[in-house]
Amino acid sequence: MKKISLFFIFLPLFAYEYYSNGHKIALTPLSSFTKSLSIRYFLTPNGQKLGVGKRVLCRFKNLSCERRFTHNKKYQKLASGDTLLFAHTPNEALKLSNTIYESGCALYSHPDFLIEPKKRSFDPLFNPLQWNLHNWGQYGATPDVDMDVYEAWQYASGKGVKVAVIDNGFDLSHPDLQGAFMAQTDLVDMDANASYDNPYEIHGTACAGLIAARKNGIGIQGIAYKSNLIGIKLIGSYANGQDRPLHISTILEAFMFADEMGAQVINCSWGTYDVADAVRYIIHKLATQGRGGKGIPIVFASGNEGRGQWYWADDESALPDVLAIGAVNDYGDIAWYSNYGPALDFVAPSGGGNLAITTTDISGPLGYADGSFGHPDYCYATDITGFNGTSAAAPQVSGVIALMLQRDPDLTKDQIVHILAKTAKKIGPLAYENGRNDYFGYGLVDADDAIKEVIAQRVRREIKGKSFPIDGYFIHYGSGKFDWIYVSNNKKMVAKLAGMRGKYLLWDPILYNAFDTIEIQNNRIFFGQSSDLFGQNFANKSFVIDGYFVHYGQKAFDWIYITATTLKSYKFEGLGYKENFLWVFLNIWAKKEKDIIQFR
């Protein structure tokens, strides 16, 4: 039987199709990938690019079938037992492959596609070197002292979110930062090139990589690896390494440029310890009025002197409008250098224990790794001269905020802080009073729980006070993850879950009017007699209803599963790394009235 998606979405008819696993797959033609008339490129429903040439690849069931379709055609027998047939055009190849399959003469028949190999799931340095994002105890670290970014990537990538990094220049040619910068300015040399000028200006490249290093099959992955960076070079160095002085007005220019470029997050791994009134004002203005009144989250490193609030009370990081970030080491202890006090908001992983932080370094033999470790473009967590300090902690929090804003761009700055505080890991030996203490703030930022809370809050906002008709019922009839049966609300369709294709659930077989009766009573479904071979497995039997689902929006994943016994609600989020279904608990009151679910 033909597999269909759970929700019936009417799509335009496509002239280009091929058979895959017994099902017709529609192809959308692309026009500008090649000048060759012998190749046409298409997009599959999953977004994969396929090239169709003049070749058809098939496996005939018998010699008679082979002779039927190779007669008067150019073909080639392959060592695998398959046959390549040669058409005159890509269109003819598509038609010929479909004709062969529809004849019943071939186990499979489709164009000999040109495909692009998939990138690795994670860039090569992610595991085990990026322990701060996924810590399973590598190099002797304490397991789970991390930000659960690995888990959060199942829900968000930071796509399209604009993050301003105010720092001391960037390696714009670094292979892991190609395509990351959407805008840049140099307020040291007063030009439009935010590149670093000498080997002492390496700090910005390391911070930028932690936020937005691309998922490209090389190096590391930034936390928000699809975000867009606004590179602002504010701090400069002379050729001898001495820092250049800068005017307060230049600091104002940096923040204004970030705002003008549409920054949704601003990262500052620096401070002055003597914040000027003008800087205090501009930070307050952006934090409360930026982003169209929602406020821009401004993230500051708390500093590396290991001192209390008395020392850094006049620093930008101590302002009530910013997020002050401290550091914990790979053992889960507060880093020896991390400043602490009432103004501290959160902590993130950094050096100070056995490990530092893996990130991008300026290309070549200079920089944090200084070429002596054999990996000149990166500094590793295991390097003696690795990147660390609260400077490394702050951009990690900025990256998490970018993930949050991808899933809900309407979050206010205060809502972001509230969610981060609510979901942070309460690590360390000290008690948390009213959710925080002076050494860990509200705790170690947890990207996974923060993202799920963002999703839950957004869905609750959309469904609260509304009612939705039940679209169907679910029965779990076996122990397998796909051992689910769906019964439509009108009781005319029954389907077995077969898996997923892209963003859609697949059902196989689909049975229409296959039972003479289907009755729903007392939270059970009773099946009558069936003439269908598959349906006979359920004929004259009853099953407990496990849950209901409602479709609350137009998108593929805009549906909610409600358990039949407890009426707990979960938003569907697709498949996880292990092909497991991802659910986000909504924590909203639900009530069932006949075939209606009410949310309050």
Tab-separated table of all heavy atoms in Angstrom, residues 289-308:
chain	number	residue	atom	x	y	z
A	289	GLN	N	15.261	48.700	25.233
A	289	GLN	CA	14.496	49.196	24.098
A	289	GLN	C	14.905	48.580	22.761
A	289	GLN	O	14.210	48.750	21.762
A	289	GLN	CB	14.646	50.715	24.001
A	289	GLN	CG	14.171	51.466	25.234
A	289	GLN	CD	14.440	52.961	25.140
A	289	GLN	OE1	14.397	53.547	24.054
A	289	GLN	NE2	14.737	53.579	26.262
A	290	GLY	N	16.037	47.893	22.725
A	290	GLY	CA	16.492	47.294	21.472
A	290	GLY	C	15.569	46.192	20.994
A	290	GLY	O	14.657	45.761	21.695
A	291	ARG	N	15.813	45.738	19.775
A	291	ARG	CA	14.965	44.700	19.150
A	291	ARG	C	13.484	45.088	19.174
A	291	ARG	O	12.614	44.287	19.499
A	291	ARG	CB	15.149	43.346	19.830
A	291	ARG	CG	16.429	42.636	19.502
A	291	ARG	CD	16.376	41.164	19.852
A	291	ARG	NE	15.955	40.939	21.218
A	291	ARG	CZ	15.064	40.027	21.592
A	291	ARG	NH1	14.480	39.246	20.702
A	291	ARG	NH2	14.740	39.876	22.864
A	292	GLY	N	13.210	46.329	18.856
A	292	GLY	CA	11.821	46.762	18.775
A	292	GLY	C	11.119	46.767	20.111
A	292	GLY	O	9.899	46.549	20.178
A	293	GLY	N	11.885	47.023	21.189
A	293	GLY	CA	11.298	47.089	22.519
A	293	GLY	C	11.394	45.800	23.303
A	293	GLY	O	11.054	45.776	24.505
A	294	LYS	N	11.862	44.727	22.670
A	294	LYS	CA	11.992	43.455	23.394
A	294	LYS	C	13.260	43.400	24.231
A	294	LYS	O	13.354	42.603	25.171
A	294	LYS	CB	11.960	42.284	22.405
A	294	LYS	CG	10.618	42.110	21.710
A	294	LYS	CD	10.580	40.890	20.823
A	294	LYS	CE	11.357	41.070	19.542
A	294	LYS	NZ	10.705	41.999	18.606
A	295	GLY	N	14.242	44.231	23.908
A	295	GLY	CA	15.496	44.256	24.646
A	295	GLY	C	16.523	43.308	24.059
A	295	GLY	O	16.200	42.180	23.692
A	296	ILE	N	17.755	43.770	23.950
A	296	ILE	CA	18.841	42.931	23.449
A	296	ILE	C	19.577	42.310	24.632
A	296	ILE	O	20.052	43.027	25.513
A	296	ILE	CB	19.842	43.751	22.612
A	296	ILE	CG1	19.136	44.408	21.422
A	296	ILE	CG2	20.984	42.857	22.113
A	296	ILE	CD1	20.041	45.342	20.633
A	297	PRO	N	19.681	40.981	24.682
A	297	PRO	CA	20.522	40.355	25.713
A	297	PRO	C	21.988	40.727	25.466
A	297	PRO	O	22.516	40.458	24.384
A	297	PRO	CB	20.289	38.858	25.525
A	297	PRO	CG	19.074	38.740	24.666
A	297	PRO	CD	19.030	39.980	23.833
A	298	ILE	N	22.618	41.354	26.444
A	298	ILE	CA	24.021	41.750	26.338
A	298	ILE	C	24.808	40.922	27.344
A	298	ILE	O	24.569	41.010	28.557
A	298	ILE	CB	24.199	43.256	26.599
A	298	ILE	CG1	23.348	44.058	25.605
A	298	ILE	CG2	25.662	43.653	26.490
A	298	ILE	CD1	23.338	45.559	25.863
A	299	VAL	N	25.720	40.116	26.844
A	299	VAL	CA	26.433	39.135	27.668
A	299	VAL	C	27.854	39.619	27.904
A	299	VAL	O	28.590	39.914	26.956
A	299	VAL	CB	26.438	37.758	26.964
A	299	VAL	CG1	27.175	36.728	27.824
A	299	VAL	CG2	25.008	37.303	26.676
A	300	PHE	N	28.237	39.701	29.182
A	300	PHE	CA	29.586	40.119	29.562
A	300	PHE	C	30.276	39.033	30.379
A	300	PHE	O	29.655	38.375	31.215
A	300	PHE	CB	29.535	41.392	30.407
A	300	PHE	CG	29.680	42.669	29.627
A	300	PHE	CD1	28.562	43.301	29.110
A	300	PHE	CD2	30.925	43.236	29.406
A	300	PHE	CE1	28.672	44.484	28.396
A	300	PHE	CE2	31.059	44.416	28.686
A	300	PHE	CZ	29.933	45.041	28.178
A	301	ALA	N	31.568	38.869	30.126
A	301	ALA	CA	32.398	38.036	31.002
A	301	ALA	C	32.608	38.776	32.318
A	301	ALA	O	32.832	39.989	32.330
A	301	ALA	CB	33.740	37.751	30.332
A	302	SER	N	32.517	38.065	33.437
A	302	SER	CA	32.592	38.721	34.749
A	302	SER	C	34.005	39.126	35.135
A	302	SER	O	34.192	39.965	36.012
A	302	SER	CB	32.013	37.801	35.833
A	302	SER	OG	32.827	36.655	36.001
A	303	GLY	N	35.037	38.541	34.497
A	303	GLY	CA	36.415	38.896	34.820
A	303	GLY	C	37.175	37.759	35.466
A	303	GLY	O	36.596	36.816	36.014
A	304	ASN	N	38.508	37.879	35.443
A	304	ASN	CA	39.384	36.752	35.777
A	304	ASN	C	40.307	37.015	36.959
A	304	ASN	O	41.410	36.477	37.026
A	304	ASN	CB	40.225	36.390	34.549
A	304	ASN	CG	39.372	36.014	33.353
A	304	ASN	OD1	38.302	35.427	33.506
A	304	ASN	ND2	39.843	36.368	32.170
A	305	GLU	N	39.870	37.816	37.908
A	305	GLU	CA	40.729	38.108	39.059
A	305	GLU	C	40.422	37.238	40.263
A	305	GLU	O	41.112	37.297	41.280
A	305	GLU	CB	40.594	39.584	39.456
A	305	GLU	CG	41.220	40.556	38.455
A	305	GLU	CD	40.399	40.685	37.190
A	305	GLU	OE1	39.142	40.546	37.272
A	305	GLU	OE2	40.970	40.931	36.113
A	306	GLY	N	39.358	36.438	40.188
A	306	GLY	CA	38.979	35.577	41.298
A	306	GLY	C	38.563	36.369	42.529
A	306	GLY	O	38.765	35.913	43.654
A	307	ARG	N	37.965	37.528	42.317
A	307	ARG	CA	37.626	38.408	43.440
A	307	ARG	C	36.121	38.634	43.526
A	307	ARG	O	35.374	38.378	42.595
A	307	ARG	CB	38.354	39.740	43.290
A	307	ARG	CG	39.868	39.590	43.304
A	307	ARG	CD	40.564	40.931	43.236
A	307	ARG	NE	42.013	40.780	43.273
A	307	ARG	CZ	42.881	41.787	43.275
A	307	ARG	NH1	42.441	43.041	43.245
A	307	ARG	NH2	44.178	41.568	43.302
A	308	GLY	N	35.713	39.153	44.658
A	308	GLY	CA	34.306	39.382	44.925
A	308	GLY	C	33.808	40.681	44.312
A	308	GLY	O	34.554	41.436	43.670
